[in-house]
Amino acid sequence: MKYMIETNGLCKKYGDKYSVKKCSLKIRPGCVYGFLGPNGAGKSTTMKMILGLVQPTAGEIRIFGEEVTERNRIEILRDTGSLIESPSYYGHLTGRENLEIIRTLKGVSRKEIDEVLQIVRLEGQQKKKVREYSLGMKQRLGLAAALLGRPKLLLLDEPTNGLDPAGIQEMRDLISDLPEHYGMTVMVSSHLLSEMDQMVTDVGIIDKGKMIYQGSLEKLHEQAKGSLKVHALNQGTAVRILDEHREKYRIDGADLLLPERSEREVADVVTMLAAEGAQITHVEMQQKSLEDIFLALTGRQVSL
Amino acid sequence: MLREWKTEWMKIRRRKIGLLVGAFVVLIFAWMTWAIRDSSKEQIYDGWRVCFLQFSLINTILLPTMIAMLASRLCDAEIKGNTLKLLCTMEKKGRLFDLKLLTGAVYLLLFIIAEYAMMFLLSAALGFGRPAEPRHLIYFFLENYTSSILLLLLQQVLSFFYENQIIPLAAGLFGSFAGLFSWFLPGAPVWYLIPWGYYSKLAYISYTWDEATRITTYYNAPFNFPGLLALLAIIAAGYAAGRYLFVTRKEI
């Protein structure tokens, strides 16, 4: 299969410390690939290496199936768009003038400016100087610049950083629409796991520079089983009964967490506990969120 | 290449760089007019030599500051707006460095042309008796433009590497003083090592002042071709080093 981005053994070392270590990414065409990890995990460095902004210490990068070298980098990147960390802009110029510069560099037609302004809904603000824009507008302008030339591949590093909840929702909708409407493949990084859940189809999780999971979001959810939360007034009795029946469980404060099971099996456990006087007041099936999955994979909490 | 250079001019819209250079042209014209107002008949007769020397001296004092401001205006928009990480996905980093330098060099060329225009204007207005020697017109360019290019290169590297533009501007001010001192000790070889010293090292008009008669006599000095070669070598080395540093060391 020809991947849009493929990296093999990608490393970046600063001094003695690895910022990214043997990172192997595979991004299939037409997906929204969520690149997850806590702050400092190596997401931005990896994306910068893909774009040739940072020189890798070791490893190979392929974009559109072609190995990227300093010689062919600009040519290959012609079909990509990017928004890395904070937006890039000339504050003394208007939004349209900023896009005009990018358009000239990319060598695309002038009418594309109107199209991308429409996509990011900035038509009404195009004649305003960018230094007068809000952060959300600057982010949208950054996305418009990335979209110029209808690239096949888009790399967006933390595009929702600093946006208010409405702005985050708007950006999320825009990004998730791109593959369907414009046939683009999107790689988007974030440390906000919850927002990824609603936006991406594939996921790569990086922690301390190492890839710890890569695959579809669906499979990740499947892999991470849920649990049955039981609240019993008489917890001691409940624990005794579960021990007697060799049931697996974990005490979580006043609750007991049992492995996920079918509805029939849930009914059996509840009946058994109630019959022995455990005094059940609450039973709940818990699905693991991405945060829980991340916690299970890395053993530490991620910032939200 | 032309497409990329076009964007350099698009980026500096409303940066008022033309106004900055224009203001220095006006300042120098005012300074020269003031300096020449009480000149003797002999000095007016030898007006071209006076101009070549005085313009070079004024350039030594003012140009380091103007060039620091010029380089800062050209480069700080990229630093302030975090644009390198976007631009360097569309054009090579080294080319960006070159095109910035080229843009600055065009402004300096316009500045030198304006200085020639001022000299011709003064000549027409005051009636310089002795005509300008063509080789002196060329030496003026070699001395002032080449020295300024070295300063532009230095200031561009500083402006790219320091987010706080006060540092490159302070370097420009320091350069003005260093350059001025170089005229008092023109023989000292140390000025070959100091970028702001080349205006004086390449001066080709000298003068004597007779205390008794209080008359200043201007005369031709041989043009310092070895000095020019040293300057060109330093520019080449500085360009290679500055570009290499920008391409490999400038963090994006």
Side-chain angles (χ1 to χ4, degrees):
Chain A
M1 181 182 189
K2 193 172 131 184
Y3 293 102
M4 297 301 268
I5 300 178
E6 188 179 359
T7 69
N8 292 308
L10 196 60
C11 296
K12 181 66 193 177
K13 213 172 169 185
Y14 289 109
D16 291 340
K17 227 178 148 191
Y18 277 99
S19 173
V20 175
K21 197 171 183 184
K22 292 182 181 167
C23 178
S24 294
L25 273 170
K26 283 179 176 57
I27 301 182
R28 57 186 182 83
C31 74
V32 178
Y33 183 96
F35 196 35
L36 283 168
N39 288 328
K43 301 185 296 293
S44 297
T45 308
T46 304
M47 293 177 96
K48 283 180 180 175
M49 282 195 281
I50 292 170
L51 290 168
L53 301 175
V54 166
Q55 214 46 39
T57 309
E60 178 199 59
I61 300 165
R62 287 180 171 273
I63 299 180
F64 311 132
E66 211 175 321
E67 188 178 351
V68 183
T69 61
E70 195 43 45
R71 192 169 273 198
N72 64 11
R73 184 177 72 89
I74 298 293
E75 193 52 44
I76 291 175
L77 293 181
R78 219 173 275 283
D79 265 337
T80 68
S82 60
L83 172 57
I84 299 294
E85 293 164 338
S86 51
S88 303
Y89 61 88
Y90 298 99
H92 62 285
L93 300 178
T94 66
R96 193 178 184 89
E97 286 165 347
N98 270 270
L99 293 176
E100 190 64 43
I101 290 170
I102 310 300
R103 180 197 76 77
T104 309
L105 283 172
K106 283 190 171 179
V108 298
S109 77
R110 189 162 280 142
K111 73 173 194 320
E112 281 215 27
I113 292 180
D114 295 313
E115 287 171 21
V116 294
L117 281 169
Q118 203 180 353
I119 294 171
V120 300
R121 293 185 281 282
L122 269 181
E123 312 102 297
Q125 311 291 332
Q126 58 175 300
K127 289 181 181 162
K128 206 165 153 181
K129 282 186 189 151
V130 177
R131 65 168 167 244
E132 292 160 16
Y133 279 19
S134 67
L135 182 58
M137 286 158 72
K138 284 175 187 161
Q139 285 289 52
R140 279 191 280 154
L141 180 70
L143 184 61
L147 290 172
L148 269 175
R150 293 280 172 95
K152 290 189 222 158
L153 175 66
L154 214 53
L155 287 99
L156 308 172
D157 185 17
E158 309 254 4
T160 55
N161 252 3
L163 298 186
D164 58 20
I168 291 174
Q169 184 62 44
E170 201 176 0
M171 186 64 86
R172 202 154 54 193
D173 293 346
L174 266 171
I175 292 168
S176 45
D177 273 356
L178 293 172
E180 196 184 325
H181 285 95
Y182 305 102
M184 293 175 188
T185 303
V186 185
M187 178 185 191
V188 55
S189 79
S190 179
H191 64 279
L192 294 167
L193 306 179
S194 51
E195 74 178 26
M196 285 288 189
D197 224 352
Q198 300 161 46
M199 186 165 55
V200 305
T201 52
D202 293 13
V203 179
I205 299 179
I206 188 170
D207 186 41
K208 293 178 186 163
K210 289 183 186 164
M211 283 291 275
I212 52 175
Y213 175 82
Q214 186 166 232
S216 74
L217 185 65
E218 210 174 292
K219 274 193 184 150
L220 182 64
H221 275 300
E222 271 172 27
Q223 192 177 312
K225 290 208 168 80
S227 57
L228 178 70
K229 187 162 117 181
V230 177
H231 185 80
L233 287 180
N234 197 345
Q235 198 185 56
T237 306
V239 165
R240 181 179 52 78
I241 298 161
L242 292 173
D243 284 339
E244 280 172 13
H245 289 83
R246 294 189 179 164
E247 285 281 354
K248 282 183 185 168
Y249 68 91
R250 183 161 64 85
I251 298 172
D252 182 23
D255 300 319
L256 292 169
L257 296 176
L258 281 75
E260 192 179 34
R261 58 197 62 208
S262 68
E263 285 192 353
R264 182 70 255 164
E265 286 166 339
V266 172
D268 288 347
V269 169
V270 173
T271 309
M272 176 180 78
L273 290 170
E276 298 278 343
Q279 294 182 308
I280 307 297
T281 60
H282 188 84
V283 177
E284 185 189 338
M285 280 294 288
Q286 281 193 322
Q287 190 62 46
K288 272 193 179 171
S289 65
L290 268 184
E291 283 80 21
D292 299 323
I293 298 165
F294 190 86
L295 188 61
L297 284 168
T298 63
R300 62 201 179 97
Q301 197 71 52
V302 68
S303 55
L304 291 169
Chain B
M1 168 108 170
L2 276 177
R3 195 166 64 191
E4 284 134 340
W5 198 29
K6 186 182 167 194
T7 65
E8 289 303 318
W9 295 97
M10 291 161 85
K11 287 176 200 173
I12 54 176
R13 257 184 96 175
R14 297 193 204 98
R15 295 294 283 166
K16 300 185 175 71
I17 296 178
L19 195 66
L20 167 79
V21 175
F24 272 87
V25 169
V26 170
L27 179 63
I28 288 174
F29 188 67
W31 190 333
M32 270 308 290
T33 312
W34 172 80
I36 218 161
R37 76 193 192 288
D38 291 332
S39 298
S40 61
K41 268 185 188 171
E42 291 78 12
Q43 281 180 335
I44 296 290
Y45 179 76
D46 213 4
W48 277 102
R49 280 193 186 136
V50 175
C51 276
F52 289 137
L53 185 69
Q54 293 296 332
F55 271 95
S56 298
L57 184 59
I58 294 171
N59 284 348
T60 311
I61 299 166
L62 293 182
L63 279 192
T65 306
M66 187 194 89
I67 292 169
M69 292 166 83
L70 170 67
S72 174
R73 298 300 279 173
L74 289 170
C75 302
D76 77 336
E78 313 289 7
I79 308 292
K80 272 191 207 161
N82 276 317
T83 53
L84 291 178
K85 60 183 187 239
L86 177 63
L87 296 177
C88 293
T89 62
M90 294 177 284
E91 66 178 309
K92 290 196 170 172
K93 226 171 157 186
R95 183 167 286 181
L96 181 70
F97 183 88
D98 296 345
L99 293 177
K100 284 266 181 247
L101 198 60
L102 188 60
T103 310
V106 168
Y107 276 108
L108 287 181
L109 183 64
L110 293 174
F111 179 84
I112 296 290
I113 291 170
E115 285 198 323
Y116 278 123
M118 279 188 258
M119 286 190 238
F120 278 101
L121 197 67
L122 286 170
S123 168
L126 301 172
F128 296 164
R130 195 196 300 272
E133 291 182 42
R135 66 191 170 113
H136 282 177
L137 287 167
I138 296 167
Y139 292 164
F140 182 80
F141 182 83
L142 293 176
E143 176 196 3
N144 290 280
Y145 190 66
T146 320
S147 301
S148 301
I149 290 292
L150 176 62
L151 299 190
L152 178 67
L153 181 62
L154 172 75
Q155 290 297 148
Q156 178 168 312
V157 173
L158 291 176
S159 285
F160 265 137
F161 275 88
Y162 288 97
E163 282 193 25
N164 186 347
Q165 292 297 304
I166 290 291
I167 295 163
L169 292 175
L173 284 172
F174 168 79
S176 289
F177 285 108
L180 186 60
F181 273 113
S182 72
W183 284 89
F184 295 112
L185 292 162
V190 69
W191 297 114
Y192 282 113
L193 301 173
I194 294 171
W196 303 278
Y198 279 90
Y199 293 104
S200 64
K201 289 301 313 175
L202 299 186
Y204 52 94
I205 303 290
S206 199
Y207 65 92
T208 52
W209 187 68
D210 189 319
E211 208 176 339
T213 60
R214 304 180 74 83
I215 290 173
T216 308
T217 312
Y218 294 84
Y219 63 90
N220 294 349
F223 188 76
N224 184 359
F225 280 105
L228 178 66
L229 287 177
L231 173 59
L232 291 173
I234 288 183
I235 289 174
Y239 167 74
R243 194 178 193 272
Y244 175 79
L245 280 175
F246 181 69
V247 171
T248 59
R249 295 279 184 272
K250 173 70 187 161
E251 276 292 318
I252 294 181

